[in-house]
Amino acid sequence: MLCDDTKRILAVHDLSCFGRCALTVIIPTLSAMGAAVVPLPTALLSTHTGGFDNIVFRDLSDMMQPILDHYKMMDMKFDAIYTGFLGSAGQIDTVAHAIDMFGEGIPVLVDPVMGDDGEVYQTYTPEMCRRMRELCRKAEIITPNLTEAYLLCDEDYKDTSVLPPNEALAEAERLRVKISELYGTKKLALTGVELSDDRIATISYDSTCRERESVHIIHKVKYGYPGTGDLFASVLLGRLLSGMDFHSAVDNACRITAEMITDTAKYDTPRREGLRLEKNIYKLFE
């Protein structure tokens, strides 16, 4: 009998039923890449919170720990843990416990979803930002955008797009070094560094690699869509689990995310509905 070598990932995210983000992006993306996703939903929403009214919402915090306890009783093993937007300090505590329960010897990717475009999300209190910093110390891989990098460093946001490109990249590098020193991060992808020449950069850092740092630059795409960060981190993790090195995995995730945004922008798909993932899933096999 053949051995089943399918990678199993514990994914701690919300389930927004409409709008292509969080688990509705993560599950098909990682499944297409050959991994089995075990979701640990943090909340159930009729839609995501960007651009919709009268949203139906249910917090699932009280179910998260019992689900983890059941998995422990089953002696379930995971090949990676991936966590994103969290709705409360209590949920951050539960994720930290999940990492303690299941995370030994496996990649733990924390996407510290706290804000974007220089603004902290309304649901994130100073306490939650502090607790997210604590959670990042438990991660092997973190994927902050530029806003979140400043939050992790406890600094005021700076718009890199008004700086000359070399100064913007130098500022991103400074943040990367500070984060690595503060959190002991082995692998980091700092995304969303906007340059003044209509390009956007991602800085990747891998302390285990001979070439520790790499810069990945793509042309800035006009539109933004919900779920792009979830897609980026999913592709990154999927490539790592397939054996790709970190810098190459970051580069691949940047390229695929940009291509899906570019394709979606050709159509009249409302931005709040997210990327045309179904029509672009084939890009994962190219």
Side-chain angles (χ1 to χ4, degrees):
M1 183 176 294
L2 296 175
C3 178
D4 186 354
D5 61 353
T6 304
K7 304 295 185 182
R8 183 183 294 153
I9 301 169
L10 178 66
V12 190
H13 294 262
D14 65 89
L15 176 55
S16 295
C17 298
F18 184 76
R20 296 192 191 99
C21 70
L23 287 173
T24 59
V25 167
I26 292 160
I27 292 174
T29 300
L30 283 166
S31 296
M33 299 175 78
V37 179
V38 179
L40 181 63
T42 60
L44 177 64
L45 300 88
S46 54
T47 69
H48 62 74
T49 57
F52 295 98
D53 297 321
N54 303 314
I55 297 167
V56 179
F57 170 87
R58 174 163 293 180
D59 188 304
L60 300 179
S61 297
D62 61 342
M63 295 188 65
M64 292 172 65
Q65 190 58 53
I67 290 172
L68 291 169
D69 291 339
H70 186 207
Y71 292 160
K72 193 68 174 178
M73 184 179 67
M74 294 169 60
D75 196 29
M76 190 176 292
K77 300 292 190 293
F78 297 99
D79 296 286
I81 297 174
Y82 165 28
T83 180
F85 179 83
L86 299 172
S88 67
Q91 288 189 352
I92 296 175
D93 288 339
T94 302
V95 171
H97 190 211
I99 294 171
D100 292 338
M101 293 173 72
F102 299 105
E104 185 176 356
I106 64 172
V108 175
L109 190 158
V110 171
D111 187 3
V113 183
M114 295 184 285
D116 202 2
D117 295 325
E119 299 290 336
V120 182
Y121 293 137
Q122 290 184 355
T123 57
Y124 260 74
T125 63
E127 179 193 5
M128 287 185 65
C129 290
R130 179 178 61 80
R131 302 305 293 276
M132 181 60 78
R133 294 181 187 118
E134 294 174 2
L135 186 64
C136 284
R137 290 188 171 91
K138 289 180 170 290
E140 177 185 355
I141 308 159
I142 61 174
T143 57
N145 62 31
L146 185 66
T147 300
E148 292 153 357
Y150 280 110
L151 289 169
L152 290 175
C153 292
D154 198 19
E155 294 183 14
D156 293 334
Y157 174 80
K158 296 178 183 176
D159 182 0
T160 57
S161 68
V162 302
L163 301 174
N166 62 324
E167 292 184 19
L169 291 172
E171 173 67 359
E173 166 64 7
R174 183 189 67 80
L175 291 170
R176 196 283 300 162
V177 170
K178 187 172 182 178
I179 291 171
S180 299
E181 292 175 348
L182 285 172
Y183 299 96
T185 308
K186 292 182 179 179
K187 297 180 174 70
L188 181 146
L190 199 171
T191 67
V193 182
E194 294 195 28
L195 306 180
S196 59
D197 54 3
D198 288 328
R199 296 182 300 163
I200 193 163
T202 294
I203 311 295
S204 63
Y205 169 77
D206 182 356
S207 66
T208 68
C209 183
R210 183 177 178 181
E211 297 292 334
R212 291 195 168 193
E213 188 170 282
S214 184
V215 179
H216 316 266
I217 295 179
I218 59 174
H219 287 288
K220 184 178 178 181
V221 183
K222 180 179 179 181
Y223 297 105
Y225 295 91
T228 54
D230 303 314
L231 175 67
F232 172 85
S234 296
V235 175
L236 170 58
L237 183 57
R239 294 300 188 222
L240 289 175
L241 291 178
S242 70
M244 187 176 286
D245 71 87
F246 186 70
H247 296 312
S248 297
V250 171
D251 195 72
N252 186 258
C254 289
R255 179 182 61 79
I256 287 176
T257 302
E259 288 179 359
M260 288 200 189
I261 294 172
T262 299
D263 177 76
T264 304
K266 297 176 183 177
Y267 297 86
D268 60 356
T269 306
R271 289 174 60 189
R272 66 182 187 176
E273 293 186 18
L275 299 169
R276 285 171 25 102
L277 180 66
E278 304 82 4
K279 302 298 184 181
N280 285 280
I281 203 80
Y282 72 91
K283 295 181 185 297
L284 296 169
F285 307 110
E286 291 180 340

